[in-house]
Amino acid sequence: METSAIDQVRAGEFASETTYLNTASCGLLPRRAVEAVRRLADECAAGVRAGAGSFDSVDAARAGFARIAGVAPTRVAVGSSVATHVGLIAASLPPGAEVLAPTGEFASVVSPFAVRGDLRMRYVPLAGLAEAVRPGTALVAFSAVQSADGRVAGLEAVREAAAAHGARTLLDASQSAGWLPLDAGAYDYTVTGGFKFLLSPRGASFLTVTEDAQENLPALHAGWVAAEDRWNSTYGPVGKLAVDARRFDEPVAFLAYHGAEQSLALLNGIGVDAVHAHATGLAARFREGLASLGHEAVPGTSAIVAVPGLGGREPALSAAGVMVSARAGNLRAAFHLYNTEADVDHALDVLSG
């Protein structure tokens, strides 16, 4: 059942010219985000700004993400990509440390550890991730929702297993934050790209760090933006880094963050619980329709639906105006607040042809 808030936002903020079911690749930008980016670009072109953007917008985006993540803004660092955040965490591990991850995990979550060459990487099937944590495991790195097929990890079981063995946890929420409720404080680290279900321009990403984990994380990207006093730290070595997670900030792409400020405010205005009910309801309708056509989707209740072996149908769907993606041989469709039952039915009609 659609909520009035979602109806209003869909009508006022989105203008897709396709049946857009590809948020797992890139979310649609709401009008307010587009307007904020355009306004900043125009100001920069006209020379009416003292700088390239506003840290007020950056910090508003930080606070907006913190609200979605269920943590204080002081635990959120901003940056440009998941891989860069993960690289920071990889640099904190001692040589020989064991990193446990699911088989087929997204490259940005595991590659920064693997390329070091002196860490012990161990991969196991997602379903057995919690059981695979053992004494000596330093870190469990995994996505809340798998990019390739939309499977949702056993979050509580992994957290409990990691705690029992003294392992830290790194959760990638890029395919879940915005539709699946997130308790970032339950993990040592979370990383999230903003350009998918958070509906933000590419170039905005978020790292959360518990206060305990902050003690061991090196501030490798330390520049004046990570200083406690930004504007009095622009020359020479930074005298004092920020006392909270802001010390891990990267220099930001202001255009992305001016847009992210607006997109995150929109999501918080609706509420992730409402988006979750809406998106997973549409995904369930799609799974039922697929079954009626003889196609078995990956089971579950995720807002991302994958159909093994059907990835070859992506070009035909695209030609019919249905935007999906092919990943690891799967046809992948993702549902968000701007989608409707009519979108589901259109995609099913094309697949039935």
Side-chain angles (χ1 to χ4, degrees):
M1 188 73 176
E2 295 182 9
T3 67
S4 59
I6 287 179
D7 288 341
Q8 292 169 9
V9 165
R10 184 189 304 114
E13 293 285 352
F14 298 98
S16 176
E17 297 178 356
T18 65
T19 298
Y20 193 81
L21 306 179
N22 204 20
T23 301
S25 292
C26 187
L28 296 179
L29 293 178
R31 284 192 175 95
R32 66 180 71 181
V34 173
E35 290 168 358
V37 172
R38 181 179 294 123
R39 184 164 53 249
L40 176 59
D42 287 344
E43 290 173 356
C44 290
V48 297
R49 271 198 165 272
S54 169
F55 279 108
D56 289 342
S57 288
V58 175
D59 290 334
R62 187 195 314 272
F65 178 77
R67 183 176 171 189
I68 287 173
V71 297
T74 53
R75 290 193 177 186
V76 179
V78 298
S80 59
S81 73
V82 162
T84 305
H85 293 313
V86 176
L88 193 67
I89 298 163
S92 73
L93 297 178
E98 179 181 278
V99 179
L100 176 67
T103 304
E105 180 57 79
F106 194 74
S108 296
V109 181
V110 293
S111 295
F113 301 106
V115 299
R116 267 194 50 172
D118 61 351
L119 300 176
R120 291 184 293 125
M121 301 299 297
R122 188 159 62 96
Y123 303 97
V124 299
L126 179 66
L129 187 62
E131 291 77 11
V133 184
R134 63 190 182 186
T137 300
L139 179 75
V140 186
F142 67 113
S143 294
V145 175
Q146 288 291 298
S147 171
D149 57 20
R151 286 178 297 158
V152 180
L155 302 176
E156 184 176 357
V158 174
R159 290 197 306 266
E160 290 177 352
H165 292 290
R168 291 197 184 276
T169 50
L170 163 60
L171 183 79
D172 179 7
S174 298
Q175 295 289 13
S176 59
W179 72 265
L180 184 67
L182 172 62
D183 178 11
Y187 306 89
D188 295 284
Y189 316 101
T190 72
V191 291
T192 308
F195 64 95
K196 298 179 186 290
F197 291 90
L198 295 182
L199 309 177
S200 299
R202 186 183 283 269
S205 64
F206 304 92
L207 164 70
T208 72
V209 192
T210 63
E211 292 178 357
D212 179 63
Q214 288 180 29
E215 298 300 318
N216 299 107
L217 200 63
L220 292 182
H221 310 305
W224 67 275
V225 299
E228 181 68 15
D229 182 355
R230 289 175 178 137
W231 294 110
N232 288 311
S233 302
T234 52
Y235 301 104
V238 172
K240 181 181 180 182
L241 292 171
V243 298
D244 55 25
R246 194 170 61 76
R247 76 168 74 97
F248 308 116
D249 277 11
E250 300 171 50
V252 297
F254 280 111
L255 288 167
Y257 279 90
H258 276 238
E261 173 189 10
Q262 300 301 320
S263 296
L264 294 167
L266 180 152
L267 284 168
N268 279 311
I270 295 171
V272 172
D273 287 342
V275 177
H276 177 268
H278 177 76
T280 57
L282 293 177
R285 182 184 182 93
F286 189 52
R287 286 189 182 90
E288 292 172 2
L290 287 166
S292 71
L293 297 175
H295 302 303
E296 184 176 352
V298 173
T301 59
S302 176
I304 300 173
V305 180
V307 190
L310 212 62
R313 297 292 301 274
E314 184 273 332
L317 284 159
S318 178
V322 179
M323 307 306 292
V324 292
S325 54
R327 293 291 186 274
N330 302 316
L331 181 71
R332 187 185 69 181
F335 299 89
H336 205 6
L337 61 89
Y338 36 66
N339 294 123
T340 65
E341 291 183 351
D343 291 338
V344 175
D345 296 343
H346 183 209
L348 291 170
D349 285 346
V350 176
L351 283 170
S352 67

